[in-house]
Amino acid sequence: MNKVKVGFFSFTEITDPSEHRSYNEWHQLDHMPEQYPLSGMAFGQRWVSTPDCRAARAVDGDLLAPVHYVTLYLMTEPVEDTLEEFHALGGRLRELGRFHQHRRARLSGPFDVATIDAAPRVLISAEAVPYRPNRGAYLVVEDLLPAGDPTDGATNVADLLEAPGVAGVWSFVSDEERRRAWRPGRRRVTICFLDENPLDVSPSLGHIVKNWRPTPGAVVHAGPLETVLPWHWDWFDVAGS
């Protein structure tokens, strides 16, 4: 049984191009560590859409086109208490001046875990996939129709699991109901955990997404991300953007 019930996503844009390094220093060394003492916080990870990753996106809708970073927190029971603590902590850190000012969340909020799968070659259980070291991720975001079944799309997950470099796939769904301060809308996020270079496997995954079998929604974002490593924050220093 999977102890993780919710994935909290934040799709973040850095609004000042000169602030990437300070943002990463703040998030990795200050903000994320503060989340782990929360009662139901199981794990957290961040990925970056480097300039090369952005150019490799298969789908790049307006809402998430400006995104530079994606953060995922995995939460266990007590979920509602954890979300309340998470929200309260954010408020306290803002009051203390410990919140980065040059960032904008393009999409954020809690998403319920929908499906979890591991590629047979990796041997580990599906529940363990997020904790296995990865080199990056491939993310697919869909806007779901009101009448659609958010669990539809299993065939597409099976195709992703067969692709080279994919160690496992988890999917998450949200609905229109407001949860605490967040309203992520009715969406599905599918994340492929990668153990090969994201840019190397991106073309085959993009091909799968462009040939997505019918689902109760529309793909609005699909593309590769690199894993953020401590003190390796120079992607935008080089690009100058």
Side-chain angles (χ1 to χ4, degrees):
M1 181 178 295
N2 189 14
K3 68 179 182 181
V4 176
K5 305 304 179 185
V6 162
F8 190 101
F9 283 92
S10 180
F11 292 77
T12 303
E13 172 192 7
I14 301 306
T15 56
D16 182 340
S18 69
E19 291 290 332
H20 283 278
R21 185 172 290 271
S22 67
Y23 166 77
N24 281 284
E25 181 177 12
W26 163 76
H27 203 297
Q28 199 137 46
L29 304 180
D30 179 353
H31 190 67
M32 183 173 278
E34 288 285 13
Q35 312 306 316
Y36 286 110
L38 301 181
S39 56
M41 186 65 70
F43 189 65
Q45 186 165 6
R46 298 172 57 238
W47 297 274
V48 56
S49 180
T50 67
D52 286 342
C53 287
R54 179 172 295 203
R57 292 175 182 174
V59 181
D60 199 18
D62 291 343
L63 176 64
L64 300 179
V67 165
H68 297 101
Y69 303 94
V70 176
T71 304
L72 171 61
Y73 293 112
L74 300 179
M75 299 179 177
T76 68
E77 297 289 1
V79 169
E80 295 306 318
D81 289 347
T82 302
L83 289 172
E84 183 175 356
E85 292 176 22
F86 183 76
H87 182 248
L89 176 61
R92 290 198 301 274
L93 294 177
R94 282 186 176 88
E95 291 175 359
L96 293 170
R98 290 173 56 194
F99 220 90
H100 202 274
Q101 299 301 307
H102 301 282
R103 58 176 293 281
R104 179 185 295 121
R106 303 290 299 191
L107 172 64
S108 67
F111 288 67
D112 294 325
V113 175
T115 64
I116 61 172
D117 294 277
R121 66 177 176 82
V122 302
L123 303 181
I124 65 172
S125 65
E127 291 85 353
V129 165
Y131 313 115
R132 184 178 186 267
N134 62 74
R135 299 182 66 181
Y138 195 94
L139 226 61
V140 183
V141 181
E142 297 168 85
D143 285 347
L144 298 177
L145 299 175
D149 181 352
T151 63
D152 287 349
T155 303
N156 295 317
V157 169
D159 290 341
L160 293 171
L161 285 167
E162 293 178 0
V166 175
V169 180
W170 279 34
S171 68
F172 304 80
V173 295
S174 63
D175 57 35
E176 295 291 350
E177 293 185 8
R178 186 183 185 92
R179 295 181 73 172
R180 305 292 174 187
W182 309 284
R183 193 187 297 274
R186 186 169 169 78
R187 294 187 168 93
R188 174 167 52 204
V189 178
T190 301
I191 180 166
C192 302
F193 295 88
L194 306 178
D195 55 14
E196 294 186 20
N197 187 314
L199 292 174
D200 290 344
V201 301
S202 180
S204 61
L205 295 173
H207 177 76
I208 292 172
V209 172
K210 288 178 179 178
N211 291 279
W212 218 239
R213 289 170 176 81
T215 67
V219 176
V220 296
H221 179 88
L225 302 163
E226 292 185 10
T227 299
V228 175
L229 300 175
W231 292 283
H232 291 263
W233 305 323
D234 61 352
W235 323 279
F236 300 98
D237 294 345
V238 175
S241 62

